[in-house]
Amino acid sequence: MAQARLDIANLRVTYAGNGQAGVTAIEKVDLTLEPNDFVSLIGPSGCGKSTLFNVIAGLQIPESGAVALDGGSIVGRPGCVAYMMQRDLLLPWRTVLENVTLGPELAGQPLARARDTAMTLLHRFGLEGFENAYPAALSGGMRQRAALLRTILCERSVILLDEPLGALDALTRASMHEWLLGIQREFQRTMILITHDPDEAVYLSDRVYVASPRPMRIAGIVPIELPRDRGRDVTLTPEFAEHKRQVLALLHAPERARSAAA
Amino acid sequence: MSRRNASLHPGSRTKDVAAPVLLMLLILAAWEALVRIFAVPTFVVPAPSEILAQIYLERAMIFGHLQVTLFEIVAGYLLACVVGFGLSVAIVYSKAFRRGVLPLIVAAQTIPVIAIAPILVIWFGYNDVPRIIITALVAFFPLTVSFVTGLESLESELINFFRSLNANGLQIFLKLRLPAALPNIFAGLKVATTLAVIGATISEWVGASAGLGYLMAQDTQQINTARVFASLVVLGTVGILFFAFIGLLQRFFMPWVYGRPRFLARPRRASPAAATMRAKQIGTSAR
Ligand SMILES: Nc1ncnc2c1ncn2[C@@H]1O[C@H](COP(=O)(O)OP(=O)(O)OP(=O)(O)O)[C@@H](O)[C@H]1O
Ligand SMILES: [Mg+2]
């Protein structure tokens, strides 16, 4: 498989305003992902995280800068990476099975094959027995897992996850973390995860990118030096706490700078 | 959205049907009683029993005329659906069309359709065509409006999601816009059933020589009130059945709201070893 490398350089994104100068959502972002990386992007609400994903997914054209997958530009080219949006966006008129195979279906791949593959994976995603259920009959966590399975079945080496666990309660989240980590290791995808939760970011990632408030810059990168196969217990270690402290320090840096100036 | 809404989507049939039927019987009984007690002449208000008797006695004649009207209803309705669907797609996809043609369509709605009936007869002659057109004219407007509302009911997020999967315009229309529009489409289709019945009836008031509308116009002149009511009851029944039929279609086409019909429940099993193999490969075959 072509393990892909994602390069983002000098990215600047502006929303066109009505008449006046537009809103700059992203001022300057550089980001490099090696194959099989799991990185998190954490930042205040409204700082431009979803905007960054929209640009990587080819849905939005940046004002300047480059986005390259294995050296080839993917600016304005949708379909090169798999993208799980902030909301699960399951189609209510399709069964779970029909929802999760949407990617291959739209790509014109044989439907029977996609379905068989999906059927064998349902169990791994905790959806066994629900293949013919409509999304209305699923719990919040099941919906998120269905959306994630749909994203995995798109068979792209880079996966963008925009707050995939945002809608869940703390308990479900914790169990989903271990599961998500397992999925990433098993399927060997490169994943970028947007989150608001420092614990989640540190626990899941190889690196945490901390974003500044809008217009977005990368305020700092925290490499997570925890073993790759980490159990839940790792969250109780001093190393984990130290990483979390670094992330929080970067997150709150602008506030401190502001209060220092005052 | 769920199956639990029994009151909106009748599930327990007997209970839901019993109440309206009982109410109907009560009204009919009161009507019968009042007409008899006050000895109201038949040509003013016939009693329900007299109306039923008329339907039975004149059944050959009434059902002969009904066939003509039924054809106009169905043909006019289908014409309205096709035209309404075409217009709504054009309106949704073309700003120019929306700005240019939508006001004209709205303006056309203010013209009393019956006033242009004679003109249609001049253009198309003494046949079914003018009446089918009138039926369609009466029915197509709410149809078009609800089609447009439905096709536009989509969140831009969903379109973005489809774009992120590299879907083309046709796929976005067929797999996203159309299914998302179904609730509105069926609402429009239901409203249009009753309008088509009305449209077909009034279309026969001008230049027709058969049909229940024509029969009613004749009978009104001859003060044959009982038979007018008989025709009305038959038309009303047709309207109810037509409406119920579209309701059935809706249940069939929207199983995620109403549940899957029994005979369509389809357990799907996939167990070939090849699939397991692929599931394993999938980790290493991503592009
Ligand atoms: N379509 C748009 N037009 C104009 N401005 C927009 C648009 N979408 C987003 N913005 C602006 O861009 C900024 C970044 O939005 P974005 O959705 O990327 O934030 P986010 O970091 O994902 O926030 P959250 O964590 O709350 O999801 C916001 O301040 C918002 O006001
Ligand atoms: Mg966001």
Side-chain angles (χ1 to χ4, degrees), chain B residues 201-255:
Chain B
T201 309
I202 62 170
S203 79
E204 290 165 2
W205 292 352
V206 177
S209 53
L212 280 181
Y214 163 81
L215 185 66
M216 281 164 65
Q218 297 286 309
D219 287 345
T220 312
Q221 268 177 12
Q222 290 158 22
I223 322 187
N224 191 347
T225 314
R227 206 161 69 184
V228 173
F229 272 82
S231 301
L232 274 177
V233 168
V234 171
L235 277 174
T237 309
V238 166
I240 290 172
L241 291 178
F242 197 3
F243 188 89
F245 173 69
I246 301 295
L248 271 181
L249 281 187
Q250 180 173 20
R251 299 178 77 91
F252 179 80
F253 280 107
M254 296 176 63

Side-chain angles (χ1 to χ4, degrees), chain A residues 15 23 25 43-52 86 162-163 196 214:
Chain A
Y15 283 102
V23 177
S45 181
C47 74
K49 303 182 296 295
S50 297
T51 306
L52 177 65
Q86 207 158 354
D162 194 347
E163 294 190 46
H196 282 127
R214 189 176 61 87

